Amino acid sequence: MSPLGQFRKLVKHVRAMLCFCGADMFDENYTVLNPVFMVLLVFLAIYAVCFINTIYDGFVTNNDWTIILQCLAIGSLAVQHLDNIYDEYQNRGSRYEYALKKTLQRVAKCSKIAGVIYFTSVAGLIVLPIIYVLITGKRELTLTALIPGIDPKELLGYFIHTGFHSAIIFFGGVGFFCSDTIMFSMLLHVLLHRDIMKAKFHDLNEITEQEDKPVERSRSLLNDIIAWHQKYNLYNFIFKNDDVTRMIYEVCIWYRLKVKEQKMILLMLRKSQNAAKLTVGKIMALNFSTALQLSKGIYTFLMLLINFLE
């Protein structure tokens, strides 16, 4: 199967789960007024009422302010569609095909790991209260959302609450899994942009090896590389800008180019050294390298503290 076919297959599976939740944003004719979404919206409204009722009952009636912290949650969703890139580069040669397949393997691996984690978590949250009742005889609810007018202490009320909570957990797990899959796709496809640029440099090197190469061909390919770098330069703030700089030094055989073309490479090099980036209070760059350094520092300090306490 071609890389484009594999990518569309991945998108198809994600869309199937999104359709199950009534939130297929990939559909050009998508509207929030579809039946599935409206039904889920009604359930979310019911859950919101139960959510507010639980906070009111805990904070006002029982004077327990910690119920507010127990009920709060945060979620997010991000989307990016990369079908055009796969359609454009899957037939350009083995280097591009390898880069596309390598990215798909990364996304598939992360999605499988996330799927196992979410499936285990959702199944555990749904089954654990039932197992707990069978073993101890005590009834415990998974979520802190009480349905008004139904007593969870009664047998029927307990099963109604358990079924309602299980449905919320199931749909929430599917939704978060889809959002994480899309997030992984966004982050990992930043590496695809870098790999495609590297493949373009290799193509440029092959052209410059030919003594009778036409100047127009190398110039057009170099313009394509510069356009690609400018178009996707903002993606590189996640990683170190040294990756692009090192690519220009190590991959591109720039000394074979004409003087005008070398100046074009120089401009791209200067742009890479001063690319857009996020900073933490204007102190340090916010990227994966900084995150790893902070993680190492926290781990080192923790080990030092543990050794000191011992």
Side-chain angles (χ1 to χ4, degrees), residues 134-242:
L134 295 176
I135 295 177
T136 64
K138 298 180 180 180
R139 301 169 186 171
E140 295 291 342
L141 297 177
T142 307
L143 301 177
T144 55
L146 303 179
I147 303 176
I150 299 179
D151 188 4
K153 296 181 180 180
E154 297 180 357
L155 182 61
L156 179 60
Y158 172 76
F159 282 111
I160 292 176
H161 277 84
T162 301
F164 176 65
H165 293 170
S166 299
I168 294 296
I169 292 172
F170 178 75
F171 282 104
V174 173
F176 279 117
F177 170 70
C178 293
S179 65
D180 286 347
T181 301
I182 296 172
M183 181 189 67
F184 289 142
S185 178
M186 290 178 59
L187 294 177
L188 295 176
H189 275 86
V190 177
L191 298 176
L192 175 62
H193 301 146
R194 184 195 61 186
D195 294 339
I196 289 179
M197 181 179 292
K198 185 181 295 185
K200 289 178 181 290
F201 275 124
H202 282 295
D203 291 345
L204 181 63
N205 294 337
E206 291 180 355
I207 294 177
T208 56
E209 289 179 355
Q210 304 173 8
E211 296 181 357
D212 56 343
K213 67 177 182 67
V215 179
E216 294 79 8
R217 187 180 177 187
S218 62
R219 180 65 61 84
S220 62
L221 183 55
L222 184 58
N223 291 335
D224 183 39
I225 294 174
I226 294 175
W228 180 267
H229 178 257
Q230 291 176 344
K231 185 176 181 180
Y232 294 103
N233 188 44
L234 292 177
Y235 287 96
N236 292 326
F237 74 86
I238 301 178
F239 300 92
K240 294 179 64 177
N241 294 324
D242 296 343

Side-chain angles (χ1 to χ4, degrees), residues 69-104:
L69 300 178
Q70 298 176 23
C71 294
L72 292 179
I74 299 175
S76 62
L77 182 65
V79 177
Q80 182 182 25
H81 198 280
L82 299 167
D83 188 87
N84 292 334
I85 294 179
Y86 283 85
D87 189 20
E88 180 180 358
Y89 288 97
Q90 67 172 348
N91 297 321
R92 283 203 176 186
S94 58
R95 293 193 185 96
Y96 298 97
E97 185 177 0
Y98 174 77
L100 296 175
K101 290 184 177 180
K102 186 177 180 180
T103 302
L104 288 172

Side-chain angles (χ1 to χ4, degrees), residues 8 29 37 62 70 79 139 160 239 245 255 263 278 289 302:
R8 288 181 175 176
N29 300 321
F37 184 80
N62 299 324
Q70 298 176 23
V79 177
R139 301 169 186 171
I160 292 176
F239 300 92
T245 304
Y255 51 83
K263 292 181 179 179
L278 297 177
S289 177
L302 180 61

Side-chain angles (χ1 to χ4, degrees), residues 232-301:
Y232 294 103
N233 188 44
L234 292 177
Y235 287 96
N236 292 326
F237 74 86
I238 301 178
F239 300 92
K240 294 179 64 177
N241 294 324
D242 296 343
D243 293 340
V244 181
T245 304
R246 190 181 303 110
M247 188 189 308
I248 295 175
Y249 276 114
E250 298 178 357
V251 179
C252 178
I253 308 179
W254 54 268
Y255 51 83
R256 291 179 181 171
L257 300 172
K258 301 294 182 180
V259 176
K260 292 183 178 180
E261 296 175 347
Q262 292 180 10
K263 292 181 179 179
M264 296 171 66
I265 293 291
L266 180 61
L267 291 175
M268 188 168 63
L269 179 63
R270 295 183 62 180
K271 181 64 177 178
S272 301
Q273 293 173 339
N274 298 279
K277 61 182 179 180
L278 297 177
T279 59
V280 182
K282 297 183 179 181
I283 299 176
M284 63 178 67
L286 181 61
N287 49 36
F288 282 165
S289 177
T290 305
L292 290 176
Q293 292 178 3
L294 290 175
S295 300
K296 291 179 181 178
I298 293 173
Y299 179 77
T300 303
F301 180 77

